[in-house]
Structure formats: C-alpha cells, structure tokens
Amino acid sequence: MAIPNMRIPSRQLFIDGEWREPVKKNRLPVINPATEEIIGDIPAATSEDVDIAVKAARRALGRNDWGSTTGAQRAKYLRAIAAKVLEKRPELATLEAIDNGKPWFEAASDIDDVVACFEYYADLAEALDSKKKTEVKLHLDSFKTHVYKEPLGVVGLITPWNYPLLMTTWKVAPALAAGCAAVLKPSELASITSLELGEICREVGLPPGALNILTGLGHEAGSPLVSHPDVDKIAFTGSGPTGIKIMTAAAQLVKPVTLELGGKSPIVVFDDIPNIDIAVEWTLFGCFWTNGQICSATSRLIIQDTIASQFLDRLLEWTKNIKISDPLEEDCKLGPVISRGQYEKVLKLISTAKDEGATIFYGGERPQHLKKGYYIQPTIITDVDTSMEIWKEEVFGPVLCVKTFKTEEEAIELANDTKYGLGAAILSKDLERCERFTKAFQSGIVWINCSQPCFWQPPWGGKKRSGFGRELGEWSLENYLNIKQVTQYISDEPWAFYKSP
C-alpha cells in the first residue's frame, strides 16, 4: 500500500547560518512526479541573494571559528552532520522519493551513502593536517622550499536533481573538509533534501557562512553565482549545454571549474558470459536504475551477434518483471521521471527512434495501470543505426538501445562511437579481453562484469564531452585546495646578482 502523500517542510534560503527570506520574496512550486500534485514550495533566490550568500561565505573564511580551523576540527562538524543525517534517514528518504520520484529503497540507500561520504571526508580532513606542509627537495643548499595546501576559498557548488542530497554531499563534504566556504545551488527540480541539510548544519552548530544554500532557477541564481567575482571556483554536475554556459562564464574571470556532464555509455556483452541471467540483470541495472536518470547509464547495449537473440528474449522477460509504481510502494523498482518536461522529452526521443527506422522491442509508452504521474515503461529499442539520435544523444530516462557486433574491433569502435566519455562496461569471462577493453575504452570509468556500482573512495569523472576533473576519493579534496609554493633563502651569503655600489 502506498504511503499517504505529505507536504514538505517550509524553508527559506540558508544564509550565514540562518533561514532568510529571498530579497524578492519569490517561491517555486514543488511537484510530486508520481502524482503531478503540488506538495509545497521552495524559495527562489536571485542575484541579490547570491551576493549576500557569497559575502557571508567570505566572512566565514576570515573568522577564527571557520577560517582558522584545523582539519581535525572540521572533521568533528562533518561527523556530526553524518550522525544527524543518519538519525533523519527515514524522513529524508521519503522527502527525496516524493520530490525526485526514485523508489524509496533507492532513496534510503542514497542517504546511507551520504552518511558514509561525510564520514569519509571527515577522515580525510583529519589526515590533511599532517599533509598540509610538504618539503620539496632542491638542488641548491641555499634555499629551502615547501608546498603548502590551503583552502581554495569561496566555492560555488551546483548540483543536479537525480541524486539530490548525494550529489550535494559529493561536493559539500570535500569542500568543507578542505576548509572552503561554500554556496550551494541545487536543482530547482529537487531541492528539498538540500534545504534539510541546511537545518542539519544549523542543528550541529556549523559556523555561520561555512555553507550557504540557495534554491531557485538556474538563470536567476545559478548564473549570478558562476559569474560572481568573489567566487573562487565552480563545481558543476548537470547537462552538457549548461556546462558549456558555465565554462564560458567562468572563463571571463579565469575561474577554475570542475564539470561532470552527460554520458551515453556502452555495455559490451560477449558470448562467453558464464551466466546469461547475471549479465541480463547488470544490463537492466546499468540503464533502468534511478528511473534511468543516470549520467553514467550504460544505455547502449552492444551485444555479440551469436547470443543476441537469446539474450534479448531473456532481457524482455526480466524487463516485464520490473515493478513500476508509486516510489513509496514496497518493492517499487521503477518510478516516474522527474518532470513533465523530462517525460515529454523521453517520449519524443522514443518516437523519433521509431520514425528513423528503429524497432520498439518493448515499452515506449505510459504504463496502462498508472493514469497520473510522469511514468514511462522501461524501453528497449532494437534495429538501431549509429546515425540515429537515440544512439547519439543522452536520453536520461529508462531507455536502452541495442546493437550487435561480430568482432572485438567492431565492439570497440561502437563503444567509442560517442561524443561522451563517462563510463563503459564489458561483460566477459575472458579477463585478458577485459583488460584490452579497459585500455581501449575512451572513458573515465570502466566496469568489468558489472555496471554502475559507485563507491566514495575511487575517483569519479569522465573525458570528452562528459567533462573534466574528478569527484570522490582524495581526488575530490584536491579540487578545493590551493597549492602554494613557499621558498626561503637560508644562506648567510649575499645573492651577488648585482654589483655592490
């Protein structure tokens, strides 16, 4: 039985450690994608609020309670945030499910990852104290040099709607661990849990201004944040077109950016897979998890022709068995996409594929038992040509396109036939072949005999039009540190470059 609908907490903008009404007092409706009903609203920040938040962040860096903290002191805040998130896990998972549309158990799993991520960066913050100053050996005895790691400054963090609190944590946790002060701008399509993070930070006593949270539209809040002269860096996860705009705006101030953008990742399946059902499940999980709204989704199935027919038959049986329902229902495995706009975009891409000559092998429509909500059946498209839009463009919905191959060389060519380069997967029992593909894949992430597992310890990011820079692991911490060279002249002798008068 579905859990009754609920309204969301009413919040303002989180600036300088307190809730503050937007200067223009604007608010945006929040729509539950499973019911299409308005369940509350969020504040809509504008450039005036951005300026207030950036100034609060800059002040925080100049105060002893944040700007002069050690890594060990910051670790205490991060662990306190983790503990409070864990305490509120059921509430946060429910808010995420009704805001974003993902199945409740997936949302709960995301909250678990949020807790682990904050704890992980607490450990790295502590370790940073011993790595803050590193000696560099020189070839001259008259000088002594060390490298000093310091917080980069005020950072702007712009996050997407598919993993609302988790993607926020991927940026906030390392930024705070490094000692930066942050201004977070979450997607207007799923901001509820990011605002709740503000309440958690207030409850644990995070120093004012260390984290500021501005909800609102991209052009009204995100753009002013990117172009603000007192923001030292932008970290963005989202679409390619928006990433290009951010990079262009940041370039005017020579402002560093980290971009994690879209993908059209391949999953290559060979006929030597030892268990077809295991391979089928990984194929489904790689594309339909999180309602298909994953930047790294392995949405291009490249299957060896010798097993294609058998594999597709079994894939069809498994796909028909996926429970599509309200995200709050028990055993839901596929919920709605995020919004009406996304719903229409996905259906249009499916329709275009059919018009271009592809076959809708399964799905492609609204599930008949769900009359409301932005639901789309898990969709499998065959007879795909590499010139088709469905092969080239990111769908960001539960849509898998299929193409067969004969040889390794053909499979590699098909796998790399994309402007993106985020993830790639290979399923084969031949580990030497897997190693060849690992080297040949033009991607930042490779999965062998699986798809989509994500951990907070290894780096995450892509190449080509999937962006640059790495999140997670120690690599993400480095994103928020300035590396300063400090050189000292230690000789008693004069430098003797000029002739003494």
Side-chain angles (χ1 to χ4, degrees):
M1 180 181 294
I3 299 173
N5 216 335
M6 61 179 287
R7 290 186 66 84
I8 66 172
S10 181
R11 301 289 185 200
Q12 299 292 349
L13 304 174
F14 187 69
I15 300 176
D16 212 14
E18 60 185 16
W19 297 108
R20 181 177 183 136
E21 187 177 33
V23 170
K24 294 187 176 179
K25 305 184 188 310
N26 294 336
R27 297 188 73 86
L28 300 171
V30 174
I31 297 173
N32 182 342
T35 64
E36 303 181 43
E37 296 175 355
I38 295 176
I39 55 174
D41 53 39
I42 55 171
T46 56
S47 59
E48 295 86 350
D49 304 298
V50 170
D51 193 53
I52 294 168
V54 170
K55 287 177 179 175
R58 186 59 65 185
R59 285 196 302 271
L61 290 176
R63 291 197 317 269
N64 289 337
D65 65 349
W66 185 250
S68 299
T69 54
T70 64
Q73 290 170 326
R74 296 192 295 274
K76 290 180 180 179
Y77 290 118
L78 294 176
R79 291 196 179 99
I81 292 170
K84 189 63 73 170
V85 170
L86 182 60
E87 177 186 317
K88 298 187 177 190
R89 177 182 184 266
E91 172 191 345
L92 291 170
T94 300
L95 289 173
E96 198 126 294
I98 65 174
D99 191 22
N100 164 278
K102 67 170 58 186
W104 188 91
F105 86 96
E106 286 191 31
S109 177
D110 288 351
I111 302 304
D112 291 337
D113 283 356
V114 167
V115 173
C117 204
F118 271 111
E119 291 176 341
Y120 175 77
Y121 281 103
D123 292 342
L124 290 190
E126 284 182 331
L128 188 59
D129 286 339
S130 64
K131 302 175 183 176
K132 202 170 186 178
K133 183 177 178 181
T134 307
E135 184 181 355
V136 178
K137 295 293 185 182
L138 301 177
H139 65 291
L140 294 177
D141 294 336
S142 53
F143 292 93
K144 182 169 68 174
T145 293
H146 69 268
V147 168
Y148 185 76
K149 293 184 178 181
E150 62 185 5
L152 195 56
V154 174
V155 294
L157 314 175
I158 304 176
T159 55
W161 45 258
N162 56 336
Y163 291 87
L165 188 55
L166 185 56
M167 293 293 100
T168 285
T169 301
W170 280 22
K171 291 176 170 55
V172 168
L176 295 183
C180 292
V183 179
L184 169 68
K185 194 283 177 188
S187 168
E188 65 273 15
L189 293 177
S191 297
I192 302 175
T193 50
S194 291
L195 284 173
E196 292 311 291
L197 179 62
E199 178 62 15
I200 287 170
C201 289
R202 190 188 66 80
E203 291 175 3
V204 304
L206 185 73
L211 176 63
N212 307 273
I213 304 171
L214 305 179
T215 53
L217 299 173
H219 66 280
E220 292 183 348
S223 293
L225 180 61
V226 172
S227 59
H228 198 289
D230 212 21
V231 172
D232 300 302
K233 176 193 169 69
I234 294 293
F236 171 74
T237 297
S239 72
T242 302
I244 291 170
K245 291 179 182 177
I246 287 173
M247 193 172 177
T248 301
Q252 309 312 306
L253 297 171
V254 198
K255 184 179 301 184
V257 296
T258 300
L259 301 176
E260 202 268 82
L261 308 177
K264 192 71 178 178
S265 303
I267 180 167
V268 180
V269 181
F270 279 87
D271 62 7
D272 65 345
I273 50 173
N275 186 308
I276 195 167
D277 278 351
I278 290 176
V280 163
E281 184 177 11
W282 278 118
T283 301
L284 293 182
F285 186 75
C287 188
F288 298 153
W289 182 41
T290 310
N291 307 334
Q293 298 168 134
I294 324 170
C295 54
S296 57
T298 41
S299 58
R300 293 184 300 134
L301 170 59
I302 301 169
I303 178 86
Q304 195 157 26
D305 58 358
T306 46
I307 60 162
S309 178
Q310 178 190 3
F311 192 91
L312 285 173
D313 287 346
R314 197 65 183 134
L315 186 69
L316 178 61
E317 291 173 1
W318 275 74
T319 303
K320 288 180 178 179
N321 200 42
I322 294 173
K323 180 178 178 178
I324 313 168
S325 70
D326 186 294
L328 299 179
E329 280 193 22
E330 189 176 357
D331 294 329
C332 172
K333 291 296 190 291
L334 189 72
V337 295
I338 187 72
S339 65
R340 176 164 294 281
Q342 189 65 17
Y343 173 80
E344 292 173 351
K345 174 196 169 187
V346 174
L347 290 180
K348 179 67 167 61
L349 283 165
I350 294 170
S351 175
T352 299
K354 188 175 181 180
D355 292 343
E356 290 180 342
T359 299
I360 310 304
F361 186 70
Y362 180 77
E365 300 175 340
R366 166 185 287 276
Q368 292 184 358
H369 67 289
L370 294 165
K371 306 305 180 186
K372 281 190 174 182
Y374 308 125
Y375 293 94
I376 299 172
Q377 292 174 313
T379 301
I380 303 169
I381 301 178
T382 57
D383 300 316
V384 173
D385 185 86
T386 57
S387 65
M388 293 179 180
E389 189 176 20
I390 199 68
W391 177 263
K392 294 179 178 180
E393 299 301 326
E394 183 178 43
V395 177
F396 230 66
V399 180
L400 177 71
C401 63
V402 184
K403 190 155 183 59
T404 61
F405 71 91
K406 293 183 182 296
T407 66
E408 278 195 23
E409 292 74 20
E410 184 184 4
I412 290 170
E413 183 178 352
L414 289 169
N416 290 332
D417 182 32
T418 173
K419 61 188 176 185
Y420 298 107
L422 186 50
I426 176 170
L427 276 57
S428 170
K429 73 175 183 180
D430 185 341
L431 295 184
E432 290 185 0
R433 169 189 285 151
C434 293
E435 182 64 19
R436 290 194 294 274
F437 271 74
T438 295
K439 294 176 180 177
F441 281 142
Q442 296 170 1
S443 65
I445 304 159
V446 174
W447 295 292
I448 297 173
N449 291 323
C450 58
S451 179
Q452 301 308 314
C454 181
F455 309 97
W456 48 89
Q457 300 95 337
W460 181 275
K463 59 190 298 188
K464 295 163 54 172
R465 294 197 195 178
S466 289
F468 51 82
R470 292 296 181 266
E471 296 199 288
L472 298 180
E474 296 183 11
W475 296 266
S476 189
L477 189 66
E478 296 293 330
N479 287 335
Y480 301 101
L481 293 171
N482 181 55
I483 308 301
K484 180 181 286 183
Q485 181 213 125
V486 181
T487 296
Q488 177 184 357
Y489 186 56
I490 58 176
S491 173
D492 293 330
E493 298 298 320
W495 185 227
F497 181 80
Y498 298 103
K499 184 177 180 180
S500 177

